[in-house]
Amino acid sequence: MSDMTSATDPAWSLVQLKPNGLNTALRNLGRQGFEVFVPRHSVTRRVGGRFRDRLEPLFPGYIFVEVGRAASPWRKINSTLGVARLVQFGSGGPAIVASALVEGLMARCNGDGVLEPISEIAPGDMVRISRGPFADFVAKVETIDKDRRVWMLLDLMGRQTRIAVSARDVSAA
């Protein structure tokens, strides 16, 4: 992030949220006309003895908001319900997030704002399973079939066990 400059083009800034303030902040910033971006990813949690997939923000407690560099409508962000503060360095205005970072995240998200995994995995790679009963396990890719199922060897209780998961459920370790 860098300090604000005196250009007139829009830029992205980071907003810290109040606890459980995501939906309130999104609703109120949208009413004020701000463009907001919240990248999400699917995580597996154990709830009541069962595994449940749910979407969670990639950066819990923070959202990206597009602000104009020259004008000062960004000042009303700090008084928006659900917002704790606009991330700033000194008193010169909001800290600007590199647009390449935000644009890169947006390019990897689908239409619902869900981050899609990088699909550049190959046999022999070590990957982390992101969803399902083996979430957070690290395994070695054995093969990838034509239906994008990833067959891997997982070390369970001292034995190599062969399992298959969808390619979208793994990421590079």
Side-chain angles (χ1 to χ4, degrees), residues 12 35-37 39 64 100-110 115:
W12 289 94
E35 175 93 22
V36 180
F37 175 56
F64 295 101
L101 172 75
V102 178
E103 290 168 4
L105 284 171
M106 287 178 161
R108 282 196 49 207
C109 288
N110 64 16
L115 196 66

Side-chain angles (χ1 to χ4, degrees), residues 15 25 28-34 65-67 71-86 88 94:
V15 170
N28 290 302
L29 288 169
R31 286 180 186 160
Q32 295 176 48
F34 286 102
V65 177
E66 190 175 27
V67 295
S72 62
W74 54 266
R75 294 188 187 277
K76 58 186 172 180
I77 292 174
N78 281 333
S79 61
T80 301
L81 291 174
V83 170
R85 68 184 185 93
L86 186 64
Q88 294 178 265

Side-chain angles (χ1 to χ4, degrees), residues 44-161:
T44 301
R45 300 273 187 235
R46 190 178 184 135
V47 178
R50 293 192 164 170
F51 292 100
R52 304 257 187 229
D53 290 337
R54 68 182 203 195
L55 293 176
E56 291 184 358
L58 185 61
F59 306 108
Y62 293 91
I63 59 175
F64 295 101
V65 177
E66 190 175 27
V67 295
R69 292 182 186 237
S72 62
W74 54 266
R75 294 188 187 277
K76 58 186 172 180
I77 292 174
N78 281 333
S79 61
T80 301
L81 291 174
V83 170
R85 68 184 185 93
L86 186 64
V87 176
Q88 294 178 265
F89 298 124
S91 61
I96 301 301
V97 177
S99 60
L101 172 75
V102 178
E103 290 168 4
L105 284 171
M106 287 178 161
R108 282 196 49 207
C109 288
N110 64 16
D112 297 326
V114 178
L115 196 66
E116 296 290 330
I118 298 174
S119 60
E120 303 299 323
I121 56 173
D125 290 350
M126 295 300 288
V127 294
R128 179 176 306 277
I129 303 169
S130 59
R131 293 177 37 190
F134 298 110
D136 292 330
F137 277 77
V138 176
K140 184 176 183 178
V141 175
E142 190 177 60
T143 60
I144 302 171
D145 66 19
K146 66 181 189 296
D147 297 324
R148 299 292 296 155
R149 300 283 300 166
V150 179
W151 289 90
M152 58 187 72
L153 295 174
L154 185 65
D155 187 21
L156 290 174
M157 300 189 315
R159 294 183 58 192
Q160 294 285 320
T161 305

